Amino acid sequence: MGTSETAAGAVTPHVSIVIPAYNEARRIGDTIVKIEEFLHTFDASSELIVVDDGSSDDTAEIAERRRFPGLRVLRSGSNHGKGYSVRQGALDARGEFVLFSDADLSAPIEELPKLLAAARRENADVVVGSRALDRSLIGLHQPRFRESGGILFNLLVRVLLGLNIRDTQCGFKLFRRERAIDIFRRQTIPGFGFDPEILFLASRMNLKIIEVPVRWNHAEGSKIHFLRDGTRMFFDLVRIRWNSIRGIYS
């Protein structure tokens, strides 16, 4: 797989991997090592962007101590939210494709080639890693109340936003950067409710969205507080619909 070069001679990566991280000192080092090991066998040029979301621990320092070509660490001065971090990473990315992945690698980084192959085969602009298409690929499930809450949230996404996507919340999504960059420029939601917004924007922009089943395992240490953040995410759906009515996304 070839690479391209800018006028300055710098190689443009084929894939940019964006990892939003907030207080992930316990595992960010291992996450970077796993991605680095995968990239050594990956048949494409790449870069890894870790976006530290104003962590109060040593997340950024640990990430910056890892040294391999293509690794960059972006720091936020304060905590804004996962959506803000993904947006910053995507806007700073240089690759033809941009993948954002959760820092816990619940969907293993080894699933990336599956999403890339689907994007090329289907000429898709957005490829959504999905737990819902084939639940036999889920190794370790979330607690039952959280899994049920996710199914209910997806139903609300379908009703309020008209998105026919079975799993909007899996933290493993691939974008064809040139076609999808305006999604992130128009994104307004900084928190956990950003996934439905970027998919809603992609749909409004008539981008081709497909879902691909991925392997997934629940990882302890989630930053989502079920009731507090679940309530916020519901109101984010209302906000997305209201933004659309008011023409904010136009």
Side-chain angles (χ1 to χ4, degrees):
M1 190 175 302
T3 61
S4 58
E5 295 191 2
T6 64
V11 175
T12 301
H14 187 66
V15 179
S16 300
I17 302 170
V18 174
I19 305 288
Y22 175 65
N23 287 348
E24 293 286 358
R26 183 174 60 85
R27 58 187 166 202
I28 193 63
D30 288 341
T31 293
I32 293 173
V33 168
K34 288 178 182 177
I35 294 175
E36 180 181 6
E37 290 174 347
F38 165 75
L39 291 178
H40 283 317
T41 67
F42 185 50
D43 187 26
S45 59
S46 57
E47 65 176 352
L48 172 60
I49 304 171
V50 177
V51 185
D52 175 67
D53 189 25
S55 297
S56 58
D57 64 11
D58 295 332
T59 297
E61 289 78 6
I62 293 170
E64 288 171 341
R65 285 200 293 268
R66 299 300 311 175
R67 300 289 182 184
F68 73 90
L71 171 63
R72 290 186 283 135
V73 179
L74 306 182
R75 290 182 180 235
S76 298
S78 58
N79 178 241
H80 297 276
K82 180 181 177 182
Y84 176 91
S85 296
V86 170
R87 180 178 188 271
Q88 295 304 107
L91 292 178
D92 200 68
R94 303 164 185 161
E96 178 184 352
F97 291 93
V98 178
L99 173 85
F100 86 75
S101 170
D102 287 342
D104 59 17
L105 296 181
S106 294
I109 192 62
E110 290 79 10
E111 297 292 86
L112 170 57
K114 183 187 296 183
L115 269 61
L116 278 170
R120 298 189 193 103
R121 183 177 63 249
E122 304 290 340
N123 193 29
D125 304 308
V126 182
V127 184
V128 179
S130 176
R131 298 162 292 186
L133 291 181
D134 185 355
R135 293 193 176 274
S136 70
L137 295 177
I138 299 177
L140 180 62
H141 285 255
Q142 301 176 82
R144 186 176 296 275
F145 72 94
R146 286 193 58 174
E147 192 164 283
S148 299
I151 293 171
L152 174 61
F153 183 76
N154 185 258
L155 177 62
L156 291 173
V157 169
R158 288 169 175 258
V159 171
L160 292 175
L161 303 185
L163 287 175
N164 187 27
I165 299 172
R166 294 180 60 181
D167 185 4
T168 59
Q169 298 310 114
C170 181
F172 203 70
K173 297 181 177 69
L174 183 76
F175 301 83
R176 198 179 293 267
R177 185 175 63 87
E178 184 175 327
R179 300 182 193 170
I181 194 66
D182 275 348
I183 293 172
F184 297 101
R185 290 176 179 147
R186 300 183 192 191
Q187 177 190 336
T188 66
I189 293 175
F192 290 115
F194 81 100
D195 296 84
E197 183 180 38
I198 59 177
L199 294 174
F200 180 75
L201 285 166
S203 178
R204 277 180 55 96
M205 294 164 62
N206 294 317
L207 299 184
K208 185 173 182 178
I209 307 171
I210 62 173
E211 286 188 271
V212 172
V214 294
R215 292 183 293 129
W216 192 89
N217 287 281
H218 172 64
E220 295 296 335
S222 171
K223 302 300 186 298
I224 296 180
H225 186 282
F226 183 73
L227 290 178
R228 180 194 65 203
D229 293 314
T231 301
R232 289 176 179 172
M233 289 166 67
F234 167 74
F235 283 107
D236 282 339
L237 295 182
V238 176
R239 175 179 168 185
I240 294 166
R241 173 52 66 189
W242 183 236
N243 282 350
S244 178
I245 292 171
R246 293 170 60 205
I248 297 296
Y249 299 131
S250 298

